[in-house]
Amino acid sequence: MIEVIRGDITALTVDAVVNAANSSLLGGGGVDGAIHRAAGPRLLQACQAIGGCPTGESRITPGFDLDAQWVIHVVGPVWRGGSHGEPDMLKSCYSNSLDLARQHKVRTIAFPCISTGVYGYPQREAAKIAVAVMQHAAKDFERVICCCFSAEDESIYKQLLA
Ligand code: ADP
């Protein structure tokens, strides 16, 4: 079952939240900064030990001070016009996160709108990819949540899932 929620992903009670990180995994702005603030300094230590992550891949850490047991860090593509492999990389972000989630027996998972903030991916194009991958995997989970921060994203996801 795929749900659309509008709000702060760090406030959700789920098994895993997905973080739209950068390739250093050392924190940043946007949802990444919010997750690091809410999870506390042990998250940065855990990420330092991992030592980075290539675009399109994902890595898992505990959620520390979050309600979520796990944080799945993914590095979305920076939008460069769309003909530099961005759609495939974004698709990999969602599918690799869901693979890691299955491996860790995650039943409930929340995603932010990966790449659509500072990384500039057009929201609707990104949402179509997100929804397609989630729909393919939804049967393996109790809840798959699209956690939108803006009203615009919420309405895009609701339209796509209607
Ligand atoms: P990226 O670098 O992958 O574009 P951003 O963090 O800049 O990542 O933006 C990704 C999405 O996360 C944007 O839609 C942004 O509005 C949203 N976002 C920012 N803070 C939060 C939060 N606390 N919870 C959920 N989504 C958030």
Side-chain angles (χ1 to χ4, degrees):
M1 154 125 193
I2 301 174
E3 296 167 47
V4 182
I5 285 180
R6 183 172 168 212
D8 179 359
I9 201 166
T10 67
L12 299 181
T13 301
V14 286
D15 296 335
V17 296
V18 175
N19 180 19
N22 59 55
S23 58
S24 75
L25 297 186
L26 300 182
V31 70
D32 194 8
I35 287 175
H36 274 268
R37 277 193 298 279
R42 288 176 297 167
L43 182 62
L44 181 59
Q45 286 171 7
C47 287
Q48 279 166 339
I50 293 171
C53 177
T55 302
E57 293 192 16
S58 61
R59 301 287 185 265
I60 194 164
T61 65
F64 299 107
D65 297 342
L66 289 171
D67 271 341
Q69 188 185 356
W70 303 106
V71 178
I72 296 175
H73 307 262
V74 298
V75 182
V78 176
W79 180 257
R80 292 166 58 210
S83 58
H84 294 81
E86 297 95 326
D88 283 341
M89 284 189 276
L90 189 62
K91 194 175 165 194
S92 297
C93 287
Y94 284 96
S95 56
N96 287 330
S97 304
L98 290 160
D99 286 344
L100 261 184
R102 279 190 203 90
Q103 288 163 25
H104 289 78
K105 314 280 182 230
V106 164
R107 302 292 301 147
T108 56
I109 183 168
F111 285 88
C113 304
I114 300 166
S115 280
T116 64
V118 169
Y119 281 5
Y121 208 112
Q123 285 157 273
R124 180 173 295 274
E125 295 315 305
K128 282 183 198 160
I129 290 171
V131 164
V133 181
M134 287 177 197
Q135 278 173 331
H136 190 71
K139 62 176 188 324
D140 299 334
F141 297 89
E142 257 166 51
R143 302 176 73 194
V144 178
I145 298 169
C146 312
C147 180
C148 301
F149 207 55
S150 69
E152 198 185 346
D153 278 321
E154 181 187 26
S155 110
I156 290 171
Y157 274 85
K158 284 192 168 161
Q159 274 173 28
L160 291 174
L161 287 161

